[in-house]
Amino acid sequence: MFKNYLKVAARALARQKGYATINVLGLALGLACCLLIARFVAHEMSYDSFHEKADTLYRVTLGESEVGEAFEVSAHTALALGPALEDAFPEVTASARTLAVIASGMAVIASSDDPSRVFEERGVLYADASLFDLFTYPLVSGEPSQALTEPGTVLLSESSAKKYFGDASPIGQRLNIRGALGGEYRVNGVFADVPATSHLQFDIVAPLADVLERPMYADGDGAWGWNNFFTYVQLQEGTDLEAFSEKATALLMETELGAEYVAANVTPRLAAQPIWDIHLNSEVESSDVNRGSYQTVFFFGIIGFITLLIALVNYVNLATARALDRAGEVGVRKAIGAYRGQLMTQFLAESAVTNAMALVLAAGLAIGLQPIVNRVLGMEISGALWVAPGLWAGFAVIFLIGTLLAGLYPAFVLSSFRPVAALKGQAQGAGSELWLRRGLVVLQFGASIVLVAGVAVVYSQLNHMRGLDSGIDMEQVIQVPGPRIAPRGADGASLYESRAAAEQVFKDELLAMSDVRSVATSYSLPGRGLSYGSEVRLESADPSDIEEAAMTWVSDGFTEVYGLDVIAGNGIEALPESIEDGEREDVVVNESLVRALGLASPSEAIGEPIDMGGDPKRIVGVLRDFSWFSAHEDRENVLLGRMQSGGSFSIKVAGSGLPQTLANIEALYGRLYAGNPFRYAFVDDLFDEQYEADQRFATLFSVFAGLAVFIACLGLFGLAAFSARKRTKEIGVRKVLGASVASVIRLLSVDFLRLVGLAFVLAAPVAYLLLQRWLDGFAARIDLGPGVFLLAGGLVLLIALATVSSQALRAATVDPVRALRSE
């Protein structure tokens, strides 16, 4: 019996090839889009779920709030926090601290005996030995009990071990790591490559104890004074996180930091952030981790849902529209003895066959398109997600829903017709059937308008951000990192002097090149963060009257390289090259900080003594406002101090002859900094990298929105063809009576266009609310006016008009004699 149902279903689809193609293609495209988006969402939601102890692992965050202000939360905590929590609270079963130097970059000499084999490494992590107990980063060689327990040892990932030592065993080999926290290390083990779904990404792990022995951390105030560490804890199952937060905060207030918070009138709050929340929670300030966004996942989920909804609506609409054509077939079947249950099963079987075909095609499309989506997203989504039970269980549910939605109407309505009425052609659909189809058209085109409006707003916002005047001239500015490899055996003092001398020679010879306009050094670059952040206040102000600010150090020539305007006082060149311990440091600030401190004008700020985290400074110059970061953030309160040497080079060059200029710079760099890998980047490209995630979102959004509109138009095309065929005789009569082609096209099109107009009225408020929420994530954003929604509605209306008119024109140009003979 079941085989017979499938055979009849296949024959029915074969008889109606056009409608079957539209149904299967539209549904398959919607399912494929939804499947790709579901895999992306599943990938983003799967971060850190591979850890065996993921359910009990947390990162400790620190929130700070001034009176009446919201908490600003950071993942960076004090060095002493982890051990203090573990000692004080029994629910803390273990803790681990990490210090990442990923952003700064380090040079790795693969063998101490062969300084020519140098690699640029940006994935170096210093951690407590307990890191490998808390997290599931399995060792593939070496003793787990010795991991990170011996000073001067290091662990490598499998890929880095292969890179440095080839097929030779890395155990016992030595590495020379050069950088701010480098040193001589012996390879003590190899761990499996860190999964892409880990918020921490690293290739080299060294003992944190090696860092803590350095003077900067070993001095008296290092334990609570240094807050650039991540603190992870394992809590007992069932721990009350709110109670833990209150106890941990009370512990913090008992330390030396508590008095500082009281003096500054700032309220701190320690909290336990679940490990699975780290990747997507963009509200927690956290550098050096693999970041995502709940907002991106949410909006992609909305796109996937809308696309699938349009495809299902499209399928159901065509299925219900075609149902009455089979009333005669139903009459014959019932006349020869078919039961109602058999007819219902038959229609549901046909719906299941169509859905199954669409699902198979959708899976093939999704698998084929996945590499392209991966490239656009800039990530490698694990193939293991294709066999995830949850993913396919969800699509099994969608399959059942699609089967029932499209099959229930003909199954229940047509199977209820009386045989005589059906055979005489007197079986008519209820008026509710017509209203159902109209309502579904309104629904799918309303969803299409939301997506098209979204595409317009996303690209408008992206262009707005990129077109903003940052106040920094980054055009034709090349960044070259300073040397990372020092001569073997050089002591600190002589190394600093030799580097300072080489840096001055490098600058002088660069400026002697005809195509080099200006040169400067700095510890950070636009779009790449600032060196140091802290609270700032006027020394004459109340200690609680503080503002957040950030500082970096630059050399003379920096304002010239980047076109910064001095509007009051002096520039960087007027600052002293060095200061003695305890002396007040002169700084140049931007207008934002002047306003934040409550000073009436830039000129009033000149000579004003300020306090920055306990360090006395004096404002001697004010720069016109500039944006150091992307439009996602408000303009920062920035201070610039003068550095004598170090950091990276910013070189402004002429636009012509660039290849030769770069070759000359590389040759000079190699001569002065032998053994250091030369690399460069254009600063404007580095700055624009902040918008890469926005660009990827815009690209995928527009692709999926375009597919959704195409699917909607497929359905409208089928409905228009069906409507024209049902009115063939009417059209023939009208043409015999003198109706023009234009009037016939208008007759067949106007009803559909009214539905699209109604869809616009209903969709515009929904689109407005969703897009307002998306724009809330930007400090500098466009204003949402009616224009973008009218544009989206007009575009969808034109697409619908072109779709319907193609069928209307075909019907209007049929010979009226043939039309009158069609029934």
Side-chain angles (χ1 to χ4, degrees), residues 149-453:
T149 59
E150 300 180 36
T153 61
V154 70
L155 302 177
L156 303 179
S157 68
E158 284 186 285
S159 58
S160 63
K162 181 79 172 178
K163 178 173 65 176
Y164 299 145
F165 302 110
D167 295 329
S169 172
I171 305 300
Q173 301 273 13
R174 301 196 68 84
L175 288 178
N176 191 343
I177 302 177
R178 302 293 177 86
L181 300 174
E184 291 274 351
Y185 291 93
R186 184 185 75 254
V187 179
N188 208 25
V190 176
F191 56 90
D193 286 348
V194 175
T197 52
S198 170
H199 76 279
L200 282 176
Q201 293 292 319
F202 53 89
D203 289 303
I204 299 177
V205 188
L208 187 65
D210 286 358
V211 175
L212 304 184
E213 293 176 355
R214 299 174 190 245
M216 60 167 57
Y217 292 106
D219 62 17
D221 108 312
W224 291 101
W226 289 97
N227 64 344
N228 52 342
F229 296 83
F230 288 161
T231 301
Y232 299 93
V233 294
Q234 182 183 4
L235 301 180
Q236 293 179 354
E237 290 187 11
T239 298
D240 186 329
L241 297 184
E242 190 62 34
F244 172 77
S245 173
E246 293 176 2
K247 291 195 298 182
T249 304
L251 174 66
L252 180 69
M253 294 302 293
E254 294 173 0
T255 69
E256 58 198 62
L257 290 179
E260 296 180 12
Y261 281 121
V262 172
N265 200 20
V266 172
T267 301
R269 185 177 187 273
L270 291 174
Q273 180 186 19
I275 199 78
W276 49 262
D277 181 61
I278 294 175
H279 172 67
L280 292 176
N281 193 335
S282 56
E283 294 182 0
V284 179
E285 189 280 318
S286 176
S287 60
D288 305 327
V289 299
N290 197 337
R291 300 296 298 274
S293 166
Y294 279 118
Q295 185 186 60
T296 299
V297 169
F298 171 78
F299 276 99
F300 268 123
I302 291 292
I303 295 168
F305 173 76
I306 290 176
T307 305
L308 180 62
L309 179 66
I310 289 174
L312 286 174
V313 165
N314 185 45
Y315 174 46
V316 172
N317 222 351
L318 286 174
T320 56
R322 292 286 300 169
L324 287 176
D325 282 356
R326 302 183 65 180
E329 174 191 340
V330 171
V332 172
R333 286 177 177 272
K334 296 192 77 172
I336 61 177
Y339 295 108
R340 185 176 184 185
Q342 291 174 320
L343 293 172
M344 293 174 65
T345 303
Q346 177 63 54
F347 287 122
L348 287 172
E350 292 178 13
S351 179
V353 169
T354 304
N355 274 269
M357 292 171 60
L359 189 58
V360 171
L361 180 57
L365 286 171
I367 293 172
L369 293 173
Q370 188 64 67
I372 299 174
V373 174
N374 286 350
R375 284 197 295 272
V376 174
L377 288 172
M379 63 176 63
E380 188 63 36
I381 297 179
S382 172
L385 289 175
W386 283 121
V387 294
L391 186 69
W392 291 106
F395 275 86
V397 172
I398 293 172
F399 169 78
L400 291 175
I401 291 174
T403 299
L404 293 174
L405 286 177
L408 282 179
Y409 175 80
F412 280 95
V413 177
L414 296 185
S415 63
S416 67
F417 289 161
R418 290 181 297 108
V420 174
L423 289 171
K424 289 182 177 179
Q426 296 172 351
Q428 298 295 325
S432 58
E433 181 261 345
L434 180 60
W435 283 106
L436 172 64
R437 289 209 306 272
R438 288 176 173 175
L440 293 177
V441 169
V442 170
L443 178 61
Q444 67 179 168
F445 274 91
S448 299
I449 290 169
V450 170
L451 290 179
V452 172

